[in-house]
Amino acid sequence: PPPPPPASFFFLAVDGIRDQPRSRGLGDVYKRQGLHIVRSFTYWNWMEPQPGVYRLEDIDRLFDLSANHGLYVWLDITLATHGSCPEWLMREHPDIRSVNPFGQPTVARAGPAYPQGGIMHCYDHPAWRQHGGALLRHVVSRYKDRDNLLIGGLWDGGTPIDTGTHATPNMLCYCDYSQSQYKRWLKKHFSLDELNERFQRRYSDWKDVEPPRNNNTILEMLIFRRFHYENLVEKLRWMVGETRRIDPVHEVRAHSANTPRPWDEMCAQEVDSWGMSMSSNNMLTSDDISAVTDRAFSFDWSRSVGKEGRWWNEEIYAGMSRGGVTWKKQSDTAELTTLLWICLLYTTDADDE
């Protein structure tokens, strides 16, 4: 196993050794290039193909190969945002699917970060906490004593459930479970009279209160979004608590996008360190003269919200975002080098993919 890291250290990491024939040779390459960490991404529907049956042979091999080459492991667990819950879970609980403002359940979809299927489930459904919690506890228990485990990622790109499309983006979940949670949240913060005064309504019974369905009901939508932001923080807090009960030693973290979002500062207070994600391609050659300064702002923001200034430039995409690998202009070494030097300027920990 690698030696314990010093208290202050600039890490370089790479995504990737999994159960592939080329993995052995790559470990030597990574070490020679001065990398310290191998970061693995996990998908729930890959890890648990049957109820309570956890197939983690590739993650076991990741730890073994990394240890053989003196590399740490950064293990991400994705129960929300990236990656679908198992297909059997949706079959057993059809109402776990998130629902858009028009009452339509989410259908199968994919994206650049989740080709095996994007999130379709709602984390307000009790089955998410039941089965997702069981997986989380199993993974933490399985790897907490590995000498080369460095850090655990609990929420990659933490975001409220998005049931929108390209035509109607950033729409929230309207399933029965989310609506029920929202109404309980409203009752916690308002009496019915106070709600009527705030919304300029004349509701006579809580049964008549429904969430807004579009952005034209401006104030009601702002309140509805506030609920979803706090709801997301509560889910992250629960995941952190479940993890720390089993493993109080290793660092736990989560990350955001490359621009601040309304819930990021609240989420950052729940974890040991905060991170951010961004693309590097088409940066120095872009017509957007603010492309580099925007990155510097993102670094400073992430550091400012991270506990005691601890943060990670967690993902430097070399072509995946945005538009996937179809972009004509891919990252070059000058762009990657520039970003790493800016990271050093802001006294960061950096993950170079």
Side-chain angles (χ1 to χ4, degrees):
S8 179
F9 194 73
F10 187 80
F11 286 104
L12 288 174
V14 65
D15 261 2
I17 301 179
R18 296 296 291 270
D19 195 12
Q20 302 175 13
R22 62 192 181 94
S23 297
R24 292 183 182 276
L26 282 178
D28 288 331
V29 173
Y30 295 158
K31 193 65 177 177
R32 287 198 305 270
Q33 294 299 321
L35 299 174
H36 313 100
I37 309 170
V38 177
R39 175 175 177 256
S40 177
F41 208 68
T42 60
Y43 294 109
W44 187 359
N45 61 352
W46 173 259
M47 300 172 75
E48 190 179 4
Q50 300 175 50
V53 177
Y54 305 117
R55 297 289 306 276
L56 307 178
E57 301 92 336
D58 52 348
I59 306 299
D60 293 340
R61 183 173 174 79
L62 167 71
F63 274 94
D64 292 340
L65 287 171
S66 300
N68 290 341
H69 296 287
L71 296 166
Y72 293 108
V73 171
W74 172 319
L75 183 61
D76 267 354
I77 303 172
T78 54
L79 300 181
T81 299
H82 291 319
S84 174
C85 71
E87 290 74 12
W88 58 261
L89 187 56
M90 288 185 286
R91 185 180 69 250
E92 291 186 0
H93 299 278
D95 59 346
I96 199 173
R97 289 177 183 262
S98 56
V99 175
N100 70 17
F102 309 105
Q104 300 165 326
T106 303
V107 297
R109 56 184 176 179
Y114 36 85
Q116 89 309 333
I119 182 173
M120 293 183 282
H121 56 280
C122 175
Y123 47 60
D124 286 326
H125 195 289
W128 176 81
R129 190 168 294 210
Q130 176 188 352
H131 294 281
L135 173 64
L136 176 63
R137 290 186 291 271
H138 176 83
V139 170
V140 174
S141 298
R142 184 168 179 145
Y143 298 115
K144 68 182 179 66
D145 295 323
R146 288 277 192 158
D147 291 336
N148 60 330
L149 174 63
L150 180 68
I151 190 170
L154 293 184
W155 204 321
D156 187 88
T159 308
I161 297 168
D162 185 1
T163 62
T165 65
H166 291 297
T168 57
N170 301 318
M171 301 309 296
L172 302 164
C173 184
Y174 292 79
C175 74
D176 290 342
Y177 295 96
S178 288
Q179 290 197 54
S180 178
Q181 292 263 32
Y182 174 57
K183 192 165 291 188
R184 283 197 293 270
W185 183 88
L186 284 176
K187 290 179 179 180
K188 180 181 176 181
H189 290 82
F190 305 97
S191 68
L192 189 59
D193 288 340
E194 290 170 337
L195 188 72
N196 280 327
E197 183 179 356
R198 177 65 65 89
F199 286 177
Q200 292 296 292
R201 295 278 193 168
R202 288 179 173 171
Y203 291 122
S204 60
D205 195 296
W206 277 104
K207 295 178 182 178
D208 301 327
V209 178
E210 290 193 1
R213 302 281 172 167
N214 63 57
N215 291 328
N216 291 321
T217 49
I218 299 173
L219 179 57
E220 293 181 36
M221 181 57 78
L222 287 174
I223 295 293
F224 188 48
R225 290 187 177 278
R226 180 69 185 187
F227 153 71
H228 274 281
Y229 302 159
E230 293 187 10
N231 189 34
L232 181 152
V233 175
E234 188 278 326
K235 299 300 188 294
L236 175 59
R237 184 180 301 127
W238 169 76
M239 294 171 70
V240 172
E242 292 294 293
T243 300
R244 285 180 171 153
R245 269 189 285 275
I246 301 170
D247 180 4
V249 175
H250 290 96
E251 181 177 342
V252 293
R253 47 127 316 273
H255 87 241
S256 64
N258 67 313
T259 52
R261 303 169 306 175
W263 56 88
D264 286 343
E265 190 168 359
M266 294 186 290
C267 286
Q269 300 311 303
E270 302 297 329
V271 290
D272 297 320
S273 60
W274 191 241
M276 48 87 68
S277 172
M278 61 174 198
S279 57
S280 59
N281 49 335
N282 207 34
M283 186 181 70
L284 294 180
T285 56
S286 171
D287 292 332
D288 180 6
I289 59 174
S290 65
V292 177
T293 55
D294 280 351
R295 301 298 197 279
F297 169 76
S298 298
F299 299 168
D300 202 28
W301 156 257
S302 297
R303 182 181 61 172
S304 71
V305 299
K307 282 186 178 178
E308 298 180 357
R310 183 166 177 80
W311 70 283
W312 295 82
N313 184 351
E314 187 173 331
E315 294 174 342
I316 303 176
Y317 295 129
M320 187 199 78
S321 178
R322 297 177 172 73
V325 294
T326 57
W327 270 29
K328 293 181 179 179
K329 171 63 178 64
Q330 300 297 305
S331 289
D332 57 37
T333 55
E335 288 169 322
L336 294 174
T337 302
T338 298
L339 290 171
L340 290 175
W341 277 113
I342 298 175
C343 287
L344 278 169
L345 178 65
Y346 285 95
T347 60
T348 175
D349 298 326
D351 174 353
D352 174 17
E353 297 184 20

